[in-house]
Amino acid sequence: MEIKVFFFGILGDIAKTGFKHYRNITSFHDLEHRIEDDYPEFVHYTYRIAVNNEITDEKPDLKDGDQVALMPPFSGG
Amino acid sequence: MEIKVFFFGILGDIAKTGFKHYRNITSFHDLEHRIEDDYPEFVHYTYRIAVNNEITDEKPDLKDGDQVALMPPFSGG
Amino acid sequence: MSENILIEGPVSQAVILNGLDGFNQYPDAGGISIFIGKVRNDVVSGKYVQAIEYSAYEALVIKEAEKIFSSVKEEFPEVKLIKVFHSVGIVNAGEISMAAIVAAIHRDQAMQACKKIVELVKVKLPIWKKEIYTDLTYMWKQDNLA
Amino acid sequence: MSENILIEGPVSQAVILNGLDGFNQYPDAGGISIFIGKVRNDVVSGKYVQAIEYSAYEALVIKEAEKIFSSVKEEFPEVKLIKVFHSVGIVNAGEISMAAIVAAIHRDQAMQACKKIVELVKVKLPIWKKEIYTDLTYMWKQDNLA
């Protein structure tokens, strides 16, 4: 399946892009590995996950076309 | 001595005036009696005293020309 | 700083905005807390509040307000600026009768100090209010305790 | 109610004033509490803050803001209206980056709810800030804890 991943805050700086398409993804676990391969620096950061504008604290089941957001700790205000 | 007395809030309504001059006053005690004679209804109300724009919780010593204010409980806001 | 506390009639948004302008001189003040009090269209014993008429002992308001500002600044040392506006005369239901604006370095002290200012305005400033009902009867309110 | 939370650039006084206009439809709301947050000209490790650049996950901001508003209205049943404005993009030191406006029947709930709103905005809304210093270096801030 194809997943669009958004990088917010400092993660976007590191990735040098706000989003990236990942193709032939088999699971969330697989997606994590692909992202880590692309951006090994991410392991130094904590972030939460949202899938299709829904924050999730679990490893989500993904389906084709899902949008995944990686969100560092919020710092609005 | 002559004392100018200000009536605030509901006391001004009762006195039907915002202030009144009292002449030949000998003491604060004397002034109180003169005011009570004029406005017997005042005994039903609590009020604080200010002399020359200074709130006092004691019976003040008055001097000629002093301005005395009778102030019901404040209700601003 | 305590000039122009008393405003004839309702406190307008323009007065509050002008008041806010003074806060630009404090670039280290990150939080501004504002309280706006309006006359509610309350129902009191079956009568509808149409307006409140405020009266004040003006000279003493100025003096007591200065004391309030000093004591709040002492309690909240992060506070940079305080402004208070309060109506005298008629304020109709729905109109603004008071505004307090407090700027402080951080939001906690701004909010706490604003709350304290409003409480003190109600109990320390020699201001009186008369509720005027739609049937044109009225009642003096004596509900703020020092 | 949650439209127009995110404002491009600094939050202007005009935006806040327009926000306040909506409050006129609640004549039973006697208290309005406003919090305005500004970018401080802080000194961080010897560098001066020139601006903050905010970025946001817009769709999720709208959604989470609605949850915040619901939970605050549930906790403070006197609350009649809540508005929140938050900048995205560059906000210079001295400029406004957020505003929260809460109207309630009495002042206590207006003030408490406003405080709660501001706390929740900081920890619940997916917004990120980058401090930009006068030497044009920058640092991502990660200081709000949920």
Side-chain angles (χ1 to χ4, degrees), chain B residues 13 53-54 72-77, chain C residues 54 57 63 86 127-128 138 144:
Chain B
D13 254 27
N53 302 336
E54 191 80 55
F74 307 155
S75 58
Chain C
Y54 292 94
Y57 181 175
K63 204 167 163 180
H86 196 295
I127 297 172
W128 296 273
Y138 66 82
N144 299 1

Side-chain angles (χ1 to χ4, degrees), chain C residues 4-146:
Chain C
N4 303 328
I5 289 176
L6 294 173
I7 305 283
E8 186 64 39
V11 179
S12 66
Q13 289 192 345
V15 161
I16 298 172
L17 262 197
N18 286 343
L20 264 175
D21 279 343
F23 288 76
N24 289 329
Q25 0 167 0
Y26 298 92
D28 53 344
I32 299 175
S33 180
I34 304 174
F35 175 75
I36 292 174
K38 295 169 97 173
V39 172
R40 279 193 314 275
N41 63 348
D42 274 348
V43 183
V44 181
S45 314
K47 294 174 172 197
Y48 291 82
V49 172
Q50 172 171 301
I52 288 180
E53 183 174 1
Y54 292 94
S55 54
Y57 181 175
E58 193 161 341
L60 199 54
V61 164
I62 305 292
K63 204 167 163 180
E64 293 296 312
E66 269 167 17
K67 288 187 200 165
I68 289 174
F69 294 173
S70 300
S71 78
V72 169
K73 283 182 166 178
E74 203 168 313
E75 185 174 353
F76 303 102
E78 282 195 3
V79 167
K80 295 291 175 183
L81 190 55
I82 301 169
K83 292 206 186 183
V84 167
F85 303 108
H86 196 295
S87 296
V88 282
I90 297 277
V91 182
N92 291 313
E95 293 179 329
I96 298 172
S97 60
M98 77 163 288
I101 315 176
V102 177
I105 297 176
H106 299 95
R107 76 177 188 282
D108 276 351
Q109 291 221 349
M111 288 174 167
Q112 286 175 50
C114 186
K115 181 171 192 286
K116 192 66 178 274
I117 285 283
V118 175
E119 286 164 2
L120 290 174
V121 161
K122 287 173 177 258
V123 298
K124 295 286 191 190
L125 295 192
I127 297 172
W128 296 273
K129 69 166 154 244
K130 196 159 98 168
E131 278 184 351
I132 300 170
Y133 307 107
T134 48
D135 65 1
L136 300 186
T137 58
Y138 66 82
M139 188 164 72
W140 288 93
K141 302 296 285 184
Q142 303 213 12
D143 46 8
N144 299 1
L145 296 175

Side-chain angles (χ1 to χ4, degrees), chain B residues 22-38:
Chain B
Y22 284 87
R23 296 188 175 80
N24 305 316
I25 294 296
T26 58
S27 67
F28 184 77
H29 189 74
D30 179 40
L31 178 66
E32 278 186 307
H33 280 291
R34 295 274 297 274
I35 295 170
E36 278 172 29
D37 285 347
D38 284 351

Side-chain angles (χ1 to χ4, degrees), chain D residues 63-124:
Chain D
K63 203 167 163 179
E64 293 297 311
E66 269 167 18
K67 286 187 199 163
I68 290 176
F69 295 173
S70 298
S71 79
V72 168
K73 283 181 168 180
E74 202 167 313
E75 184 175 352
F76 302 102
E78 281 195 3
V79 167
K80 294 292 175 180
L81 190 54
I82 301 170
K83 294 207 184 180
V84 167
F85 303 108
H86 196 295
S87 296
V88 283
I90 298 275
V91 182
N92 291 312
E95 292 179 330
I96 298 172
S97 60
M98 77 162 288
I101 315 177
V102 177
I105 298 176
H106 300 96
R107 76 177 188 280
D108 276 350
Q109 291 220 349
M111 288 176 167
Q112 287 175 50
C114 186
K115 181 172 191 289
K116 192 65 176 275
I117 286 282
V118 175
E119 286 163 4
L120 291 174
V121 161
K122 286 174 179 256
V123 298
K124 295 286 190 189

